Amino acid sequence: MAQEQPIRELTLRAVVLGALLTMVFTGANVYLGLRIGLTFATSIPAAVISMALLRLLPGSTIQENNIVQTIASSAGTLSAIVFVLPGLVMVGWWSGFPYWQSVAVIAIGGALGVMYSVPLRRALVTGSDLPYPEGVAAAEVLKVGAGVGGVEENRKGLAAVGRGAFLGLFYPLLAKMKLVAEEASFTISVGSGGTSVAGGLSLALVAVGHLVGLAVGIAMLVGIVISFGVLLPVYTAGGPPAGTELADFIGTVFRQKIRFIGAGTIGIAAIWTLLRVIGPIVRGIAAAIAANRARAGQGMEGLELTERDLPIGVVGGTILALMIPIALLLADFAAGGPVASKLGLGIGAAVIYVLIAGIVIASVCGYMAGLIGASNSPISGVGILAALGISLVLLAIFGRGGSPADMRALVAFALFVTAIVFGVATISNDNLQDLKTGQLVGATPWRQQVALILGVGFGALVIPPILDLLNATFGFEGMPGAGKNALSAPQAALISAIAQGVLGGNLDWGLVGIGAAIGVAVVAGDEVLRKTGKGALPPLAVGMGMYLPMQVTALVVVGAVLGHVYNRWASRQADPELAERMGVLAATGLIVGDGLFNIAYAALVAASNNADVMAVAGETGVAVPMGIIVFGTIIAFAYATMQRDSVRRA
């Protein structure tokens, strides 16, 4: 048998390029996550840029491009840690983000996420029929770069991303100049109460909807209807207190009540997801052990390419070894607080919690990423469960006694532990997408897993200073001294409130219970739809529609509908795969342009200490209607050019 020729794959130039892209995409994702509570998968834009640059160098391969997108993708997705870490500032424990402490918690959690998901690759990638929308899309992009579709298709793909990026930054530029509105919102009276209808005018949200698809869009719409069409009118019945505007009252009720109902729905959805994946996980671990035995007898070359993971012994040993720095990190964080009074018990319980919760959360997030994609960030739901779990553990050990300072310290400790577990969630939510891409382009799994670890390291180094920049520039809603331009950081606010509610004894379990009942109904509905072949209603997406502001979710629904209509049109074209690919690439460009503009804007505000640094006009009554007109025109133009580029020349 002829000896296999080595493939250029995990190269120094791929690692360097991946590290550079990390800085760009991680920054964009941190801002997007804090602003609207959603992050986007960075694998596709990273693949586009990689193929554009590496093709200029001799000997580049599709596998080498895949390593670049793997590094940038893992680092970009790790930025979802902003769903937890800002909570430490919101509760007043941190005033900023201590660099090395933040780096350590992000890096350790991310590395654990890589290790936990190695056996999950067999269970959820090679051994399942999950669609992995973004993983498949990234593979298509890489194939274009490798010339699979020809020179003309490659040219069109790059043009689609570039044009989308320009459009994605053009609208927020007009908005920051105060020429158009950033959102359109209306308050509606319903009986003695009311509700609100709103939409953030963000092309990135439309693009996210295009990527995640109609099933997720419909599920989020169901959540919107439940929260804004049913729950808000019920919980605002009786009207606002004297001296309070109806709009402010509706916003307060949404934050203090509706979100907790949504948390209960998300909790049930996450538990159900775990039950669905237990069997495949067990089979995946068994397959990993079998592959390890084969490797011992024949070496790595004796295994099929798809079986060449990091050895399961190395994986297990690394997981256990990482518990040591976790214990040291937690002990340092707990110094001087109530946890220090029972340090051995408190740290031991926290380490065991991280060890067990890690595999649970990795499984749930990996499954959901395969089902609906990483961009929709279902990890926020399991982040809520993680915070709830560690808060109950601390409550059992330390009770509710002590001073307000002790209570704040316990809440901070719960958030810090949650941040470690959340690092596991962010990476497992992403790297199975990357491994799906690798499967489709003939990559070596263990090399991708090494690249994922490198991406975690790069992301951990970059995220804390970006958080400090945004904290100094805008601050976060709910933190001491927050201004009118503070970033909402919705998940961090919700997770912090849950930890405070459990440990302070004021969590309204009745609201959580209502949400859980809704979750049971949604899960049942999803199962009926699946068994009858009539579609799906992803329960976590319903929960997100319930607890995220409509400014975030409404445009995702619009994008999902537009994407569905476009894909139906694409399926009737002479080359449907090309047509769908142009849609994916254009949507990716919209996300990248919006994110990059906002990072540049954040830097300008930080330098000038003026949130209106780009304004050329004052507040006017025409900003909203003008914004709707301009926004609609841009969307129409974007989809028209997608269709034009989808027609292959004779």
Side-chain angles (χ1 to χ4, degrees):
M1 182 176 66
Q3 187 174 1
E4 287 186 21
Q5 294 298 316
I7 299 173
R8 188 188 293 269
E9 192 168 0
L10 186 60
T11 63
L12 177 61
R13 66 189 188 184
V15 171
V16 171
L17 180 55
L20 293 175
L21 292 179
T22 287
M23 292 187 287
V24 176
F25 292 125
T26 299
N29 244 348
V30 167
Y31 184 90
L32 198 63
L34 292 172
R35 174 174 169 243
I36 65 173
L38 288 174
T39 57
F40 65 92
T42 54
S43 57
I44 298 173
V48 170
I49 295 174
S50 172
M51 72 185 189
L53 295 179
L54 286 185
R55 64 187 300 212
L56 302 176
L57 302 176
S60 64
T61 66
I62 191 171
Q63 291 83 7
E64 189 179 23
N65 278 306
N66 182 53
I67 289 295
V68 176
Q69 73 85 15
T70 297
I71 292 173
S73 165
S74 63
T77 303
L78 192 60
S79 60
I81 196 72
V82 301
F83 293 168
V84 179
L85 275 187
L88 290 166
V89 175
M90 291 176 168
V91 302
W93 186 257
W94 282 354
S95 59
F97 296 88
Y99 184 72
W100 289 112
Q101 200 171 29
S102 300
V103 168
V105 70
I106 296 169
I108 291 173
L112 270 178
V114 176
M115 294 298 113
Y116 276 126
S117 58
V118 169
L120 294 179
R121 187 188 67 83
R122 289 181 173 83
L124 300 179
V125 177
T126 61
S128 80
D129 57 357
L130 291 171
Y132 288 97
E134 290 150 353
V136 172
E140 291 300 321
V141 170
L142 291 172
K143 290 176 183 178
V144 169
V148 174
V151 175
E152 177 66 12
E153 185 170 324
N154 186 50
R155 182 192 65 78
K156 286 183 176 181
L158 292 174
V161 174
R163 183 170 52 250
F166 173 76
L167 295 175
L169 65 85
F170 179 66
Y171 189 86
L173 172 64
L174 295 180
K176 294 304 181 186
M177 294 171 70
K178 303 292 185 180
L179 299 176
V180 296
E182 293 189 72
E183 68 175 57
S185 59
F186 309 92
T187 300
I188 302 174
S189 295
V190 180
S192 58
T195 187
S196 62
V197 176
L201 299 179
S202 167
L203 291 162
L205 292 176
V206 175
V208 167
H210 183 112
L211 291 175
V212 300
L214 187 63
V216 173
I218 291 175
M220 294 186 79
L221 179 60
V222 170
I224 291 172
V225 171
I226 292 173
S227 284
F228 293 87
V230 178
L231 296 177
L232 264 178
V234 169
Y235 281 95
T236 58
T244 302
E245 294 290 335
L246 179 60
D248 294 335
F249 179 55
I250 290 171
T252 299
V253 170
F254 177 76
R255 289 190 299 272
Q256 296 181 354
K257 294 184 181 294
I258 308 305
R259 276 185 173 170
F260 285 93
I261 296 175
T265 301
I266 287 171
I268 292 298
I271 292 170
W272 179 250
T273 299
L274 175 63
L275 294 175
R276 294 186 65 174
V277 301
I278 285 178
I281 290 169
V282 172
R283 291 192 294 272
I285 293 173
I289 294 172
N292 198 52
R293 291 181 186 140
R295 182 186 296 109
Q298 306 174 40
M300 188 72 79
E301 300 304 318
L303 296 173
E304 293 291 333
L305 183 66
T306 56
E307 297 297 317
R308 297 178 190 177
D309 289 293
L310 290 173
I312 194 66
V314 171
V315 171
T318 302
I319 290 173
L320 293 177
L322 284 173
M323 296 302 119
I324 297 174
I326 287 175
L328 295 175
L329 188 64
L330 293 176
D332 177 68
F333 188 87
V339 177
S341 64
K342 300 179 181 178
L343 189 62
L345 179 59
I347 300 302
V351 168
I352 292 172
Y353 181 79
V354 170
L355 185 64
I356 296 174
I359 187 61
V360 172
I361 283 180
S363 305
V364 171
C365 291
Y367 182 88
M368 290 307 298
L371 181 64
I372 64 174
S375 291
N376 209 43
S377 296
I379 52 172
S380 55
V382 291
I384 291 170
L385 286 183
L388 185 62
I390 187 60
S391 298
L392 290 172
V393 170
L394 294 177
L395 181 65
I397 296 174
F398 299 99
R400 293 196 178 98
S403 66
D406 285 346
M407 184 59 59
R408 187 176 64 167
L410 282 175
V411 169
F413 188 80
L415 292 176
F416 200 67
V417 174
T418 301
I420 297 174
V421 177
F422 209 74
V424 176
T426 61
I427 290 302
S428 58
N429 187 53
D430 168 76
N431 70 352
L432 293 180
Q433 294 275 2
D434 293 327
L435 292 170
K436 181 64 177 182
T437 302
Q439 178 196 20
L440 296 174
V441 302
T444 310
W446 75 263
R447 289 190 174 95
Q448 268 198 283
Q449 288 152 2
V450 170
L452 286 163
I453 294 173
L454 292 174
V456 165
F458 295 141
L461 293 172
V462 169
I463 291 171
I466 296 175
L467 281 172
D468 264 330
L469 168 65
L470 295 176
N471 181 37
T473 306
F474 302 106
F476 310 116
E477 289 182 5
M479 66 178 279
K484 66 175 184 177
N485 295 312
L487 297 166
S488 62
Q491 283 89 342
L494 178 58
I495 290 172
S496 301
I498 286 175
Q500 290 173 316
V502 172
L503 292 167
N506 57 0
L507 179 64
D508 190 338
W509 289 98
L511 295 175
V512 177
I514 292 171
I518 293 173
V520 171
V522 171
V523 166
D526 180 48
E527 288 300 303
V528 169
L529 288 173
R530 291 177 186 277
K531 289 180 179 178
T532 57
K534 295 182 179 179
L537 190 71
L540 273 178
V542 175
M544 289 185 66
M546 290 174 62
Y547 84 79
L548 283 177
M550 196 189 296
Q551 288 91 331
V552 175
T553 53
L555 268 292
V556 174
V557 175
V558 170
V561 173
L562 289 174
H564 176 70
V565 172
Y566 174 84
N567 287 335
R568 289 192 64 181
W569 171 87
S571 67
R572 299 191 298 269
Q573 303 311 300
D575 189 342
E577 290 185 2
L578 171 65
E580 285 196 24
R581 197 173 303 138
M582 289 302 108
V584 168
L585 292 172
T588 297
L590 293 175
I591 294 171
V592 171
D594 183 274
L596 295 182
F597 170 82
N598 283 304
I599 286 298
Y601 169 71
L604 285 175
V605 174
S608 64
N609 196 29
N610 177 15
D612 294 328
V613 63
M614 300 181 69
V616 298
E619 300 290 340
T620 66
V622 301
V624 171
M626 182 62 68
I628 293 173
I629 293 171
V630 173
F631 191 80
T633 302
I634 291 176
I635 291 176
F637 174 77
Y639 275 91
T641 52
M642 286 183 207
Q643 292 180 321
R644 183 198 66 195
D645 289 345
S646 299
V647 178
R648 190 182 293 278
R649 293 178 183 175

